[in-house]
Structure formats: structure tokens, C-alpha cells
Amino acid sequence: MVEWTDFERTTIQNIFSKMNYDVVGQQALARCLIVYPWTQRYFGNFGNLYNAAAIMGNPMVAAHGKVVLHGLDRAVKNMDNIKAEYAELSVLHSEKLHVDPDNFKLLGDCLTVVCAAQLGAAFTPEVQAAFQKFLAVVISSLQRQYH
Amino acid sequence: MSLSANDKAIVKALWAKISPKAGDVGNEALSRMLYVYPQTKTYFSHWSDLTPGSAPVRKHGKKIIAGIGLAVEKIDDLFSGLLTLSELHAFQLRVDPANFRILSHNILVVLAMLFPDDFTPEAHLAMDKFLARVALALSDKYR
């Protein structure tokens, strides 16, 4: 069982309640595809991903970024049982999507960078620690059903 | 993943932009590394105060960022440019190279925080590649 301090719970709820899921989702996924181009392997049918500008403007990337963030929202709403909440999603990523779990960390890092840019000075070391701990739990849960 | 001419140009331009706040970048990055990844504190047990923004952290953050500034200058030949620093890290400091990745991550987070408009996805890509090369050059003399 993951132990969350009051500060960590409040911080995560705060960050996500103020977040524009559409914007952050699109930015984080686009950044991931740009900074770590090998992640494009999972999006062969997304059309034009040839350069940063194309990726930033790609509507399928934007739509999928939204899907990812709404998936994350499930963990935000169930912080005490992320493992169970994500069991099906984990099977999906392993059995159907065949995503190398190392990629979860890459997307997580891009999400952290986008969050830092949005929050500026409010992204203190304490907030960063809480955010990264949350992402680590999410990533671990997503990897759980891989075999 | 070697640096293209474009990568180098982007890194140099970004560095010129952030240089006035280099001290802040160093302090914030080091503070975050010590706080978010507490295992890194093991290298600084001789300091009086390891809390974010403390005097030893600020002082050392400046030193580290100056080292990165040197790397930007020597971007065309990092391995010979950072030779002395590599020997320092290899024989005296003996920092496990895994920690270079951790510090690099925190530098990127701080750049996003302090320069959200300049830290575009292209700048992020170039800096990530550059810091990875710097880490490689720094660990060159390890064994």
C-alpha cells in the first residue's frame, strides 16, 4: 500500500484540479514524441510526425494526449488504490498495445517538464517530489500486469 | 546520439539566454536533486546544511553550472574539453554516473520552470542530448 502524506494528497489534487487536461495532455505527448522520437513507433497511423512543428500541430496527437490525461485522472481520483484501478489498463498496454514500459518514464518526465513550465515558481522542490512520487506509482501500476 | 550542428546552435542560444540567471538555475537544480532524490545527499555528508537554497547548496550550484557553461564552450570537443573534470569525478569524487542523469533531469525541469517560453520542445530535445553527452564525457575516465 502506498502511504501518502496530507501534503502529497493535497498537492496532487490541487495540481490536477487547476490543470487544463487538453492543453497539458497535448503538450506532454507532443514533447515526448519530439524529445524521444523512438516513441513514435506506437503511433504509425497518426499521419504527419516528421518534425516538431508537425507533431505540435497534429490533431491526433492532441486527441490522444487528452485520452492519456483522462487516464491519469483515474489515479488522481483513486490515490489509495491505483494498482487495482490500473489493472485493466496495464493488461491493455502489455497485451494489445505492446508498449515497452521504459516509455512510461519518458512520458512521465515530459509531463513533469510541462507541469513545471505551467506552475513556474509554484513548482517547488516539495511539489516536484510529490508529483514525481505520484507518477512513479502510476508507472509501477501500469507495469504490474506485464509478463 | 550525437549532436548535430543545429543541436549545438540551439544549446548555445539557450545558454546565452539563461546565463544571467545561471546561479539560480544551479541552485534550483541542485536543491531539487537533493530533495527529490535523497540518495544523492550521500555525496555531501560533509556539508552543514543540505536543505533547498542553503548556503552550501547555492555555492555548489554555481560551481556546477559554471562547469556546464564550460561544456557549452567546448561543445565541439567535449571529451578533451572536459578531461580535467572527468579525472576529478573519476578519481576524487567518484560520483556514480547514474547521478548525472538525475541532475540532468532536474536541470531540464528548472529550465522549463524559469524559461517556459524559451524551453520549447526543440530546445528540450537539444539540451537533453547535450547533457547526456556531457555526462558521457564526465564519466570517460572512470575505467
Side-chain angles (χ1 to χ4, degrees):
Chain A
M1 251 288 282
V2 183
E3 300 278 345
W4 300 103
T5 63
D6 288 339
F7 174 80
E8 286 165 348
R9 275 182 206 280
T10 319
T11 299
I12 297 303
Q13 297 304 317
N14 268 345
I15 292 179
F16 282 88
S17 69
K18 296 195 181 111
M19 194 189 274
N20 182 330
Y21 281 31
D22 296 355
V23 167
V24 170
Q26 181 267 335
Q27 288 191 3
L29 183 59
R31 217 166 255 259
C32 189
L33 296 170
I34 292 167
V35 180
Y36 308 106
W38 53 93
T39 58
Q40 291 170 25
R41 74 190 304 284
Y42 301 108
F43 304 102
N45 62 334
F46 269 31
N48 187 358
L49 298 177
Y50 297 134
N51 53 42
I55 292 171
M56 289 299 283
N58 187 311
M60 289 181 84
V61 171
H64 197 68
K66 233 169 115 171
V67 167
V68 171
L69 255 290
H70 283 282
L72 213 54
D73 190 59
R74 291 170 59 178
V76 176
K77 301 216 154 54
N78 285 287
M79 281 177 74
D80 287 312
N81 211 351
I82 298 178
K83 201 164 72 186
E85 184 63 36
Y86 273 16
E88 271 175 44
L89 272 174
S90 180
V91 172
L92 174 78
H93 283 75
S94 163
E95 304 297 302
K96 187 158 175 257
L97 305 176
H98 306 292
V99 178
D100 179 345
D102 283 346
N103 292 286
F104 301 149
K105 188 170 186 310
L106 299 180
L107 180 56
D109 284 350
C110 287
L111 206 49
T112 305
V113 164
V114 170
C115 212
Q118 297 255 314
L119 295 178
F123 200 63
T124 62
E126 294 81 2
V127 168
Q128 182 181 341
F131 192 69
Q132 290 197 200
K133 177 175 167 179
F134 173 72
L135 288 180
V137 173
V138 164
I139 288 168
S140 164
S141 305
L142 266 181
Q143 278 186 225
R144 205 99 201 332
Q145 305 302 326
Y146 276 65
H147 64 94
Chain B
M1 297 183 238
S2 48
L3 298 170
S4 66
N6 193 36
D7 290 327
K8 293 181 189 178
I10 293 177
V11 169
K12 285 187 183 159
L14 185 64
W15 202 258
K17 267 256 161 73
I18 75 165
S19 286
K21 283 200 168 166
D24 287 336
V25 173
N27 172 43
E28 289 281 353
L30 186 60
S31 293
R32 275 149 208 288
M33 186 188 81
L34 296 168
Y35 189 87
V36 182
Y37 302 85
Q39 71 270 23
T40 58
K41 292 195 289 190
T42 55
Y43 291 97
F44 305 102
S45 49
H46 54 286
W47 285 356
S48 53
D49 187 354
L50 286 163
T51 54
S54 71
V57 172
R58 286 195 166 272
K59 183 167 168 218
H60 200 67
K62 269 206 182 110
K63 211 186 243 185
I64 293 181
I65 220 76
I68 303 203
L70 175 69
V72 174
E73 267 177 57
K74 307 282 178 187
I75 204 168
D76 289 314
D77 192 355
L78 285 172
F79 282 74
S80 46
L82 297 180
L83 178 68
T84 318
L85 276 174
S86 181
E87 286 175 343
L88 174 74
H89 284 75
F91 305 126
Q92 285 186 41
L93 304 177
R94 287 175 288 195
V95 174
D96 189 312
N99 295 288
F100 299 151
R101 276 203 89 219
I102 294 177
L103 181 59
S104 297
H105 166 72
N106 285 292
I107 291 174
L108 296 177
V109 169
V110 170
L111 290 179
M113 232 182 76
L114 296 177
F115 304 94
D117 298 322
D118 298 295
F119 198 60
T120 60
E122 292 95 324
H124 182 167
L125 169 61
M127 263 325 268
D128 191 41
K129 285 174 72 175
F130 169 67
L131 291 174
R133 294 296 285 184
V134 169
L136 203 57
L138 270 184
S139 39
D140 193 49
K141 294 291 162 205
Y142 271 58
R143 55 178 176 172

